[in-house]
Amino acid sequence: MRFDIVTIFPAMVEQVLSAGIVGRAISRGTLDVTVHDLRDFTTDRHRVVDDVPYGGGPGMVLKPEPIFRALETIERDGGARPLVLLTSPQGTRLTQEVVQRLSRAAHLVLLCGRYEGVDERVRCRVDEEISIGDYVLSGGEVPALVIVDAIARLVPGVVGDQQSVADDSFSRGLLDFPQYTRPAEMVPPADGPAVVAGTMKVPDVLLSGNHAEIRRWRKREAVSRTLARRPDLLDTATLDDEERAILRTLKEQEHERH
Ligand code: SAM
């Protein structure tokens, strides 16, 4: 899968992309990511990418022409027309469902805004605006990295074990089950809250070697966690028969308690 990221801070984006799962996928050629410096698409001596807003007011606005030139260059080099995404707090909220939809594109271009944002006319070249949440960041670089990382996990060959992606929170509408590693038992931290004491031993079932029991325990934990923390997800979750039965039992138990 191919990504092109257009930014005024290429070093910031490249630094993050070089690490971890995404970094390895880029080195192996599973992902093709190019970071473009917006200033390379200016035509003036000072490589100016921003200007004051018409109508007055604080801050600066990213000029449209360098962005249009960057898109022209990327499209000329890239063959089929890519899907152009503008990072924006006003866009479609990024969810795992949106990530899944975007991962079906072969080529994505991500435009990173800065300052007060981009000139409104840029939107005529944008297929979709994407927000990573209802808060305002200083720039689109972190959102672009979030989008690339979330999509990359769904590209075959990027994450070593596809089952771990299938089990991830939200992939079927359930939160992931709790994970433990060694040691099997440990002394609670002296300053930890009292409730921690009960969780310092790994649940026996995970040490039992009984894979059927472990699978069932994990399903039960995933369903009960989702019910406790994000019951809204259960309205649209894709549950199998066993998970539906677990949910019914949990709801009955809750009902009896009240
Ligand atoms: N004035 C703009 C507004 O209120 O809609 C906010 C501009 S923000 C300071 C600068 C840039 O950061 C935006 O153009 C966008 O690229 C990026 N950005 C900020 N918050 C974002 C979010 N929640 N999701 C995606 N991009 C965001």
Side-chain angles (χ1 to χ4, degrees):
M1 180 160 187
R2 177 172 169 190
F3 296 91
D4 285 272
I5 303 173
V6 182
T7 167
I8 60 167
F9 293 121
M12 171 183 174
V13 175
E14 279 160 357
Q15 167 80 24
V16 177
L17 288 174
S18 65
I21 284 176
V22 171
R24 278 197 299 279
I26 293 171
S27 310
R28 280 198 309 266
T30 314
L31 296 177
D32 173 2
V33 187
T34 309
V35 182
H36 305 267
D37 186 342
L38 185 61
R39 293 187 198 281
D40 291 344
F41 301 96
T42 54
T43 50
D44 63 301
R45 204 153 56 89
H46 299 290
R47 294 162 47 94
V48 173
V49 289
D50 58 332
D51 209 335
V52 295
Y54 274 119
M60 301 295 273
V61 177
L62 283 183
K63 290 163 71 62
E65 306 100 306
I67 297 179
F68 288 143
R69 274 187 224 111
L71 287 172
E72 263 166 42
T73 305
I74 292 166
E75 290 180 2
R76 205 172 40 235
D77 297 346
R81 195 179 178 282
L83 198 67
V84 179
L85 305 179
L86 172 66
T87 55
S88 161
Q90 303 177 18
T92 309
R93 189 105 53 88
L94 193 69
T95 61
Q96 193 64 20
E97 214 177 327
V98 174
V99 170
Q100 276 159 1
R101 170 166 62 77
L102 296 176
S103 74
R104 292 197 276 275
H107 181 186
L108 292 177
V109 178
L110 291 139
L111 302 176
C112 305
R114 273 276 155 180
Y115 316 124
E116 292 305 313
V118 300
D119 183 290
E120 188 65 21
R121 290 164 290 188
V122 166
R123 288 181 164 81
C124 76
R125 291 289 282 102
V126 167
D127 295 300
E128 190 164 356
E129 293 178 43
I130 301 287
S131 163
I132 63 162
D134 287 349
Y135 40 80
V136 177
L137 300 166
S138 332
E141 288 74 16
V142 170
L145 288 164
V146 167
I147 296 166
V148 171
D149 191 301
I151 293 175
R153 293 180 62 75
L154 304 184
V155 174
V158 171
V159 176
D161 185 347
Q162 278 300 302
Q163 188 56 44
S164 95
V165 174
D167 287 341
D168 272 343
S169 298
F170 310 112
S171 61
R172 286 185 306 121
L174 286 179
L175 300 181
D176 201 2
F177 49 78
Q179 301 277 8
Y180 294 88
T181 186
R182 279 181 281 226
E185 205 163 344
M186 62 184 288
V187 179
D191 56 353
V195 67
V196 166
T199 67
M200 288 290 111
K201 188 173 178 316
V202 172
D204 288 337
V205 61
L206 297 179
L207 308 174
S208 69
N210 183 333
H211 294 293
E213 280 299 315
I214 291 170
R215 195 184 51 77
R216 188 164 166 76
W217 180 86
R218 286 180 164 168
K219 279 191 175 188
R220 214 187 103 82
E221 288 296 316
V223 174
S224 67
R225 245 182 198 211
T226 312
L227 185 62
R229 298 181 186 191
R230 291 292 306 276
D232 56 301
L233 294 176
L234 291 166
D235 296 340
T236 51
T238 325
L239 304 185
D240 63 22
D241 290 347
E242 201 177 353
E243 288 159 342
R244 268 197 296 276
I246 293 169
L247 181 59
R248 250 194 325 273
T249 311
L250 287 169
K251 281 184 168 169
E252 279 162 16
Q253 287 170 351
E254 198 175 270
H255 189 72
E256 279 162 19
R257 272 199 301 275
H258 295 112

